[in-house]
Amino acid sequence: PAEQYDFKLRKSAIGQIAFNEDASTVVLTPFSGRVTRLIARVGDQVRAGDPLFEIDSPEVVQAQTELIAAVQGLEKAKSQHALAKRVFDRQSLLLSDKATSQREVDEARNELAGAESDLALAEGALKSARNRLRVIVGRDDNEVARIEKERTINGLITVNAPIAGTVINRKVGPGQYVRSDSGEQLYAISDMSTMWLKAHVPESDIPYVKVGQELEVKVLALPDRVFNARIIAIGSSSDVGTR
């Protein structure tokens, strides 16, 4: 028997499988310098913190030079402070024996106060140099301690992976000079455990598309399978050529 029936309105769109942008990132260089070694290749699986490439950077050399200068400055400040303290103690003892004047003691006290101020400044400079190497350059405590002890400089810096995933792109070669202020993408990493499907919806079908709708998806690689999906986001921009 004939009866009224609500037919589902089916719309089709062409799309592509894409990387999950919420689990992807690009890698820039934090320092300017020349690439000396490439470690990770396209397709490699990396964990967060794994090395990607190595740079010989003058900025890293400068940071280590500042640390060594700060260590030497602290040693000098300690020596000057110890000398000023001995002079002040000796002048105070001589004054108690009435063998020197109050003016000499006051001068020794001022020298000691100046030496204490210089010592505090030297300690602050050393702390700042250590923090720069740890936080900005990325050296660990053992490497900082080695530089302070051996007074030797290593200009090589390793750039590590910020997230775990697969290396999907590399735009740097050995011997290439890279700049930290260029914003150039050197590596791209994506977690491919989940992927996105981006569908290019025609302009006339936009009123029928809503977040939360279920989709049936077919891919050329697996023509006999139908995948069920759900719309999680609708783009806020349109393609200039196709609308």
Side-chain angles (χ1 to χ4, degrees):
E3 61 178 313
Q4 289 188 342
Y5 182 83
D6 291 331
F7 289 90
K8 291 183 178 180
L9 184 63
R10 291 182 175 269
K11 296 291 184 178
S12 298
I14 304 298
Q16 75 224 30
I17 303 298
F19 297 110
N20 184 345
E21 295 178 7
D22 291 340
S24 304
T25 188
V26 298
V27 179
L28 311 176
T29 174
F31 306 102
S32 301
R34 195 166 303 280
V35 177
T36 58
R37 186 164 65 107
L38 297 174
I39 302 172
R41 297 176 295 180
V42 174
D44 286 353
Q45 299 286 331
V46 295
R47 296 185 299 253
D50 283 354
L52 299 176
F53 60 100
E54 200 173 66
I55 297 177
D56 188 358
S57 173
E59 298 174 13
V60 177
V61 172
Q62 180 181 357
Q64 296 178 67
T65 303
E66 291 175 357
L67 176 64
I68 294 175
V71 172
Q72 295 172 342
L74 180 60
E75 292 176 348
K76 181 178 179 181
K78 286 181 177 179
S79 177
Q80 294 293 334
H81 178 266
L83 177 61
K85 181 109 176 28
R86 288 197 301 269
V87 171
F88 175 71
D89 292 342
R90 183 171 63 251
Q91 290 295 335
S92 298
L93 182 61
L94 291 174
L95 182 63
S96 63
D97 295 336
K98 301 187 182 301
T100 188
S101 64
Q102 184 63 46
R103 183 175 62 84
E104 296 290 340
V105 176
D106 293 340
E107 289 180 356
R109 182 182 292 107
N110 292 335
E111 291 289 338
L112 178 59
E116 289 175 346
S117 177
D118 292 342
L119 179 60
L121 290 175
E123 290 174 344
L126 179 58
K127 184 178 180 180
S128 176
R130 286 172 176 167
N131 289 337
R132 175 176 172 78
L133 274 176
R134 291 193 190 102
V135 178
I136 300 179
V137 180
R139 301 294 194 189
D140 57 24
D141 291 338
N142 293 333
E143 178 66 8
V144 173
R146 184 200 65 79
I147 296 172
E148 294 184 18
K149 180 180 178 181
E150 300 179 3
R151 313 287 174 90
T152 57
I153 295 174
N154 178 16
L156 298 178
I157 184 72
T158 301
V159 179
N160 301 323
I163 64 172
T166 303
V167 178
I168 59 175
N169 197 5
R170 189 184 77 186
K171 294 183 178 180
V172 63
Q176 180 179 341
Y177 188 85
V178 294
R179 297 180 58 87
S180 59
D181 57 355
S182 67
E184 182 181 1
Q185 169 187 327
L186 304 182
Y187 274 78
I189 300 173
S190 179
D191 182 356
M192 299 175 64
S193 60
T194 59
M195 302 291 288
W196 280 2
L197 169 67
K198 292 185 175 181
H200 304 287
V201 180
E203 183 179 9
S204 59
D205 291 345
I206 286 297
Y208 306 106
V209 179
K210 295 179 176 59
V211 173
Q213 284 179 333
E214 293 185 352
L215 305 175
E216 289 182 352
V217 182
K218 290 184 177 181
V219 295
L220 294 177
L222 300 168
D224 298 330
R225 290 190 59 182
V226 176
F227 297 89
N228 295 320
R230 189 179 298 274
I231 299 177
I232 62 171
I234 299 175
S236 59
S237 61
S238 61
D239 186 276
V240 177
T242 64
R243 291 291 190 272

